[in-house]
Amino acid sequence: MEESQLKIVFAGSVGAGKTTSIRAISDIEPFETEEAVTDETRHLKETTTVAMDYGRMNLDSDTSVQLYGAPGQERFQFMWEILGQGALGVIILIKNNADDPLGHLDRYIKAFSSHLQTRGIVVGVTFTDISQRPSLSDYREFLKVFKGTIPLYTLDARKDDMVRTLVKTLLYRIDPMLTTTD
Amino acid sequence: MRKDTLKKNQHHHPYSGNKWTMNRDEIKSILVGFINKSSHIESAAVMTRDGIPLVSCLTGGVDPGTLSAVSASLLSLANKTLSQMTKGKLQQVLIQGDEGFVLLVGVGDNAVLSITSEPDSKLGILLHEAKLSARKIASLL
């Protein structure tokens, strides 16, 4: 049987844990494009993704998921478009201790729903231990307009089982058949 | 109090202050000299490896912010592609289009020099000059 590959994208706030998530679940050594930070986010972390991350997660013996990570900064928006091509869905990670996390979420959803053919979006909120606001119910309220089509999770990007849950939820939303062998 | 000041300084932008203003002017004159040296070279700009514009001499209509971001992405991807294919250290990225070339060379460890030139440019000379300029600029960053 021909091996089938599915493509998904990790997008979202700077420092939310996109590179970390891919590192956590990839079955191959991930490809990363980290460079030293010189912009206004330099107090948050030392390096940042400037082009893309790439990893691969095996779903079963003949299906794997290609994991692409997008840079968070809006100046790299052209990469969102490039990486969004052919993607089945996007996992949007929001750093809860950043300024205006709901504003971030709004921008990423808008950007990616125009790039993607599908409406497959899952949201993961990180650093909820450091900042409790906005609360999950604030996010739910915000996501109401999407009428329950966007699942919401809190996430520690270092925990592979948590990241895997988001990936599987996204795949299930796109096509329930994809995850039945789990 | 003192700790706060210290913290602030630590987060101070690496490319700001009086010394940087002087160096920036000097980099600008290196770029202008570079463009004037050859009639084939159209524009030159320097940006950080994470895509922030530092100094630009661009032709009309080119946005330094966008150019800096795409250049940083490309250089980083090129670097990682070389290591993936075990082809050593990056010398330059050369992109050829119908209407000319875009050349990217690293400037020290922190920055990138991006140059555009006309289609009939002499590439050997262009590369040589670009690397000389990059070396001069690196000492000012």
Side-chain angles (χ1 to χ4, degrees), chain A residues 32-33 35 38 42 50 75, chain B residues 11 13 50 69 73 76 80:
Chain A
E32 296 170 358
T33 57
E35 300 290 344
T38 66
R42 68 195 173 281
V50 298
R75 63 177 179 279
Chain B
H11 297 155
H13 199 284
D50 66 334
S73 297
S76 186
K80 298 297 153 65

Side-chain angles (χ1 to χ4, degrees), chain B residues 69-133:
Chain B
V70 292
S71 302
S73 297
L74 260 173
L75 197 82
S76 186
L77 264 182
N79 251 321
K80 298 297 153 65
T81 305
L82 281 173
S83 54
Q84 199 77 21
M85 310 302 259
T86 61
K87 285 294 167 196
K89 275 185 73 180
L90 181 92
Q91 297 282 330
Q92 73 265 333
V93 177
L94 181 65
I95 313 169
Q96 183 170 14
D98 293 350
E99 296 178 21
F101 295 94
V102 177
L103 172 67
L104 303 175
V105 292
V107 176
D109 291 333
N110 307 317
V112 188
L113 170 63
S114 169
I115 292 153
T116 64
S117 77
E118 290 173 351
D120 49 352
S121 306
K122 299 230 174 5
L123 284 181
I125 297 171
L126 179 69
L127 287 173
H128 177 71
E129 292 290 338
K131 281 182 183 167
L132 283 182
S133 300

